[in-house]
């Protein structure tokens, strides 16, 4: 094997590992965002329910048109929800989970940039590539240490969305055309035509 073959083999191994890291981060940020959305809905939904229940109780007390058992049931449900919200804090939980999801998404983007801009660049030295990959992998492991999300969200996302997640992560040709009508390849071919 020549030195060039070893370099290609090294880059190929790092590329495969980087793709694995990127795939893991994609699923992580999607599941964190899904969980954050769930807890946001729980937070807003319980607030809305408590406001509605409070209105019904107030109406029942003021005009005596609501049966006492209904008002008692609503009062008990509001108390149970208050205890739940005080214990689980769905609003704060949604914010924390969303922040972790955003961190995973930023790492996903960094790995994408690493693959596209650094790894595919033949001028980068092996040591630099290895060090940069290790930094990115270390960031992911640090994020995993902060993670408190169960595997339920991964299984739910896999069941509901499946491979659709990969379509969301990629830019379609139509979107590329809208974002950059000139296009990178078109610019290169024009420069080559001038030579």
């Amino acid at each position: 094997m020549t030195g060039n073959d070893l370099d290609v083999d090294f880059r190929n191994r790092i590329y495969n590992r980087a793709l694995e890291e990127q795939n893991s981060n994609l699923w992580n940020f999607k599941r964190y965002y899904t969980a954050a959305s769930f807890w946001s809905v729980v937070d807003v939904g319980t607030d809305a329910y408590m406001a509605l229940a409070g209105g019904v109780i107030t109406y029942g007390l003021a005009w005596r048109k609501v049966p006492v058992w209904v008002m008692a049931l609503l009062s008990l449900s509001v108390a149970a929800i208050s205890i739940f919200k005080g214990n689980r804090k769905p609003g704060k939980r949604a914010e924390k989970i969303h922040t972790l999801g955003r961190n995973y998404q930023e790492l996903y983007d960094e790995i994408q940039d690493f693959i596209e801009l650094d790894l595919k660049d033949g001028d980068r030295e092996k040591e630099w590539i290895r060090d940069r990959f290790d930094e990115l992998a270390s960031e992911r492991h640090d994020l995993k240490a902060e993670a408190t999300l169960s595997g339920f969200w991964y299984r739910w996302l896999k069941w509901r969305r499946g491979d659709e997640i990969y379509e969301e992560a990629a830019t379609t040709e139509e979107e590329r055309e809208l974002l950059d009508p000139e296009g990178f390849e078109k610019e290169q071919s024009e420069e080559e035509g001038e030579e």
Side-chain angles (χ1 to χ4, degrees), residues 84-116:
F84 166 77
K85 287 187 74 149
N87 185 23
R88 301 304 288 180
K89 298 178 180 31
K92 286 186 178 181
R93 179 175 281 201
E95 287 176 29
K96 181 181 179 185
I97 292 172
H98 188 271
T99 299
L100 283 168
R102 189 173 50 248
N103 292 342
Y104 271 111
Q105 185 174 9
E106 288 171 5
L107 184 56
Y108 171 88
D109 292 340
E110 284 182 42
I111 292 173
Q112 178 69 30
D113 289 344
F114 168 72
I115 290 170
E116 293 298 323

Side-chain angles (χ1 to χ4, degrees), residues 60-99:
L61 289 172
W63 286 277
R64 307 214 189 277
K65 300 274 185 183
V66 179
V68 173
W69 68 270
V70 172
M71 291 189 297
L73 187 64
L74 289 173
S75 296
L76 289 173
S77 67
V78 166
I81 288 172
S82 295
I83 291 169
F84 166 77
K85 287 187 74 149
N87 185 23
R88 301 304 288 180
K89 298 178 180 31
K92 286 186 178 181
R93 179 175 281 201
E95 287 176 29
K96 181 181 179 185
I97 292 172
H98 188 271
T99 299

Side-chain angles (χ1 to χ4, degrees), residues 41-159:
V41 167
V42 167
D43 189 40
V44 171
T46 53
D47 285 344
Y49 175 81
M50 290 193 320
L52 180 64
V56 170
I57 292 169
T58 302
Y59 176 79
L61 289 172
W63 286 277
R64 307 214 189 277
K65 300 274 185 183
V66 179
V68 173
W69 68 270
V70 172
M71 291 189 297
L73 187 64
L74 289 173
S75 296
L76 289 173
S77 67
V78 166
I81 288 172
S82 295
I83 291 169
F84 166 77
K85 287 187 74 149
N87 185 23
R88 301 304 288 180
K89 298 178 180 31
K92 286 186 178 181
R93 179 175 281 201
E95 287 176 29
K96 181 181 179 185
I97 292 172
H98 188 271
T99 299
L100 283 168
R102 189 173 50 248
N103 292 342
Y104 271 111
Q105 185 174 9
E106 288 171 5
L107 184 56
Y108 171 88
D109 292 340
E110 284 182 42
I111 292 173
Q112 178 69 30
D113 289 344
F114 168 72
I115 290 170
E116 293 298 323
L117 303 176
D118 299 325
L119 191 58
K120 291 181 178 179
D121 180 7
D123 295 336
R124 293 285 188 188
E125 295 177 6
K126 281 177 148 180
E127 293 79 22
W128 187 92
I129 289 173
R130 179 62 189 209
D131 290 344
R132 181 64 180 135
F133 177 78
D134 287 343
E135 286 174 24
L136 294 170
S138 177
E139 283 183 47
R140 179 171 168 263
H141 292 293
D142 291 345
L143 283 174
K144 280 177 80 172
E146 291 182 50
T148 57
L149 207 56
S150 72
F152 164 79
W153 296 105
Y154 171 78
R155 289 187 296 279
W156 186 87
L157 200 57
K158 185 78 171 159
W159 173 68

Side-chain angles (χ1 to χ4, degrees), residues 22 39 54 76 93 101 166 170 186:
Q22 187 180 21
W39 285 109
L76 289 173
R93 179 175 281 201
Y166 296 105
K186 292 177 186 174

